[in-house]
Amino acid sequence: MAALAGAEAIASAGRLVTPWRSHIERSLKKNKHLAYSRYVQLATVRDGRPANRTVVFRGFLDQASDALTFVTDSRSRKVQEVAANPAAEVAWYFPATREQYRIAGDLTVVDGRTAEGALQEARHRVWSSMSEGGRQQFGWPHPGRPRAQEEPDAWSRPAPGPQDPPLDTFCLVVLQVEEVERLLLFSNERYEFRKQAGADGAISWTEESINP
Amino acid sequence: MAALAGAEAIASAGRLVTPWRSHIERSLKKNKHLAYSRYVQLATVRDGRPANRTVVFRGFLDQASDALTFVTDSRSRKVQEVAANPAAEVAWYFPATREQYRIAGDLTVVDGRTAEGALQEARHRVWSSMSEGGRQQFGWPHPGRPRAQEEPDAWSRPAPGPQDPPLDTFCLVVLQVEEVERLLLFSNERYEFRKQAGADGAISWTEESINP
């Protein structure tokens, strides 16, 4: 018989805590000594084939949301890929706790032309939290093009400051989550979380224990 | 001007050393103290959406090949996915050296019914190199199904030994590589390796330096 927990979204002090978000926050805390535990692998589809790359988790969109955020360059191939097919799955492995999360959903790319207030605000907020080196990359020559020998300065141009408007190439990538799987390698447990919308539009999550 | 290196496949003592395979072998050596540096993220396509999970690198197929190997359970979803669409991309991040490889190609699943000698031999070889715990998993209840409470013994049944024939559920997964990208985060270098077949069918690789 399946061990089925009911909808577990808990509203507490204005903050939506989905069961899997709480797990990820605990995993982040326990793996904090490993800076790369914030690196995840983001898969998308390009012309019917998978594309997969490591990106840095930049936090949840806001306190009341369980959308994940990343950043990318508007000139990178994944921006075109997402326009053609927004489907994505993140694989996130936490070495210290031996946990894996698989997080599936759809991506939205937020650039300088995005009007929507909250998303544009989030783009500015993430820009201002980036290091000088991180901001600088958005002024680099076109990613993926053959490397030119003649532009030694191109890699060291100073970036706009954290309080300046982001460069046009700076995009926030938002993953709206539909399904999460959590695998615990120490204890051989595996859980599946699925999003459900009630008749009144309210979002809840189901949790099911499945075979590892 | 692009920094283009010519075909660099070197035959040495009967061993084909592609430039990117040598890099991966060096990365494995330098990251050896991190057991999880052998964990990679393997993306495939499922019904037009990406699927992404962490798998353990089980070595190159053999000394004369640059195909990567992994293992999986014949009952796992990825086996059906690969039958429908063999395209895959591995994202492999090495924490100590801050390198990322993206390795694209097509997957072949080798199970007990595969006739071909060399692939079946490789399946047996990898089975015999697995730990007791690793082998045992292939006798576990059906992966991904709702977890039953009534089968406490199902998780601790002893596995066939390393010299016994592999369980029917044990599959070798072989990634035939077409394209590799290597990104060095310490030095901000990025290289693209592409497979080329000459008029005589001989395989060679090109290497190009591209913008990170």
Side-chain angles (χ1 to χ4, degrees):
Chain A
M1 214 178 62
L4 265 162
E8 286 193 49
I10 302 155
S12 133
R15 181 175 157 187
L16 180 77
V17 184
T18 58
W20 60 266
R21 176 173 166 167
S22 313
H23 287 305
I24 288 183
E25 286 175 339
R26 271 194 292 273
S27 303
L28 280 165
K29 224 175 260 180
K30 289 184 190 162
N31 287 267
K32 208 176 177 173
H33 58 294
L34 303 172
Y36 49 84
S37 66
R38 296 182 76 85
Y39 294 10
V40 308
Q41 279 70 35
L42 173 67
T44 50
V45 175
R46 172 195 302 154
D47 301 328
R49 301 185 64 94
N52 203 5
R53 77 288 282 165
T54 305
V55 294
V56 180
F57 172 63
R58 303 284 177 183
F60 290 97
L61 184 60
D62 56 52
Q63 286 296 306
S65 145
D66 48 30
L68 278 66
T69 67
F70 313 99
V71 304
T72 194
D73 191 299
S74 61
R75 301 165 296 175
S76 77
R77 282 196 293 181
K78 74 172 105 39
V79 171
Q80 300 148 42
E81 285 162 34
V82 169
N85 182 346
E89 185 159 87
V90 160
W92 194 345
Y93 182 70
F94 285 97
T97 46
R98 302 206 69 203
E99 295 164 286
Q100 177 191 245
Y101 296 88
R102 297 175 63 173
I103 307 169
D106 285 327
L107 296 175
T108 304
V109 175
V110 183
D111 65 15
R113 296 163 306 177
T114 305
E116 215 260 273
L119 290 177
Q120 194 56 256
E121 249 173 58
R123 175 172 171 262
H124 280 75
R125 194 174 58 241
V126 174
W127 169 265
S128 69
S129 72
M130 306 269 299
S131 67
E132 167 74 16
R135 278 179 279 110
Q136 220 172 17
Q137 298 188 3
F138 292 89
W140 282 359
H142 197 297
R145 293 228 176 124
R147 188 147 182 168
Q149 303 299 318
E150 299 83 4
E151 303 185 63
D153 296 345
W155 308 97
S156 52
R157 283 184 205 124
Q163 301 311 321
D164 294 331
L167 286 171
D168 284 345
T169 52
F170 180 77
C171 299
L172 186 70
V173 178
V174 179
L175 177 61
Q176 298 287 356
V177 181
E178 294 295 326
E179 206 178 310
V180 175
E181 193 192 284
R182 178 173 179 236
L183 175 67
L184 309 176
L185 291 182
F186 276 132
S187 55
N188 288 319
E189 292 170 80
R190 188 175 168 195
Y191 299 94
E192 204 166 64
F193 301 90
R194 285 177 195 274
K195 196 178 195 169
Q196 296 198 319
D200 58 351
I203 297 300
S204 62
W205 288 85
T206 60
E207 176 178 353
E208 187 178 13
S209 171
I210 59 174
N211 292 332
Chain B
M1 214 176 66
L4 264 163
E8 285 194 51
I10 302 155
S12 131
R15 180 173 156 189
L16 179 78
V17 185
T18 56
W20 61 266
R21 176 172 165 167
S22 314
H23 288 304
I24 288 183
E25 286 174 340
R26 273 194 292 273
S27 303
L28 279 166
K29 222 174 260 178
K30 288 183 190 162
N31 288 267
K32 207 175 176 173
H33 58 292
L34 304 172
Y36 48 84
S37 66
R38 297 183 76 85
Y39 294 10
V40 308
Q41 279 70 35
L42 173 68
T44 50
V45 175
R46 173 196 302 155
D47 301 329
R49 300 186 66 95
N52 202 6
R53 78 287 283 166
T54 305
V55 294
V56 180
F57 172 63
R58 303 284 175 180
F60 290 97
L61 185 59
D62 57 52
Q63 286 297 305
S65 145
D66 49 30
L68 279 66
T69 67
F70 313 99
V71 303
T72 194
D73 191 298
S74 62
R75 300 165 295 175
S76 77
R77 280 194 295 181
K78 72 172 107 36
V79 171
Q80 300 149 41
E81 284 162 34
V82 168
N85 183 346
E89 186 158 86
V90 160
W92 195 345
Y93 183 69
F94 286 97
T97 46
R98 300 206 71 202
E99 295 164 284
Q100 177 190 245
Y101 295 88
R102 296 175 63 173
I103 308 171
D106 284 327
L107 296 175
T108 305
V109 175
V110 183
D111 64 15
R113 295 163 306 177
T114 305
E116 214 258 276
L119 289 177
Q120 194 56 256
E121 250 173 58
R123 175 173 171 263
H124 279 75
R125 193 174 61 241
V126 173
W127 170 264
S128 69
S129 73
M130 306 270 296
S131 67
E132 166 73 15
R135 278 178 279 112
Q136 219 172 17
Q137 298 189 3
F138 292 90
W140 281 359
H142 197 297
R145 293 227 176 124
R147 187 148 183 167
Q149 304 299 318
E150 299 82 5
E151 304 184 64
D153 296 346
W155 309 96
S156 52
R157 282 182 206 125
Q163 301 313 321
D164 294 330
L167 285 171
D168 284 347
T169 50
F170 180 77
C171 300
L172 186 71
V173 178
V174 180
L175 176 61
Q176 298 288 356
V177 181
E178 294 295 325
E179 208 177 309
V180 175
E181 194 192 284
R182 179 174 178 239
L183 175 66
L184 309 176
L185 291 181
F186 276 132
S187 55
N188 287 320
E189 293 169 80
R190 187 175 168 194
Y191 300 94
E192 202 166 64
F193 300 90
R194 284 177 196 273
K195 196 178 196 170
Q196 296 198 318
D200 58 353
I203 298 300
S204 63
W205 288 86
T206 59
E207 177 178 353
E208 187 178 13
S209 171
I210 60 175
N211 293 331

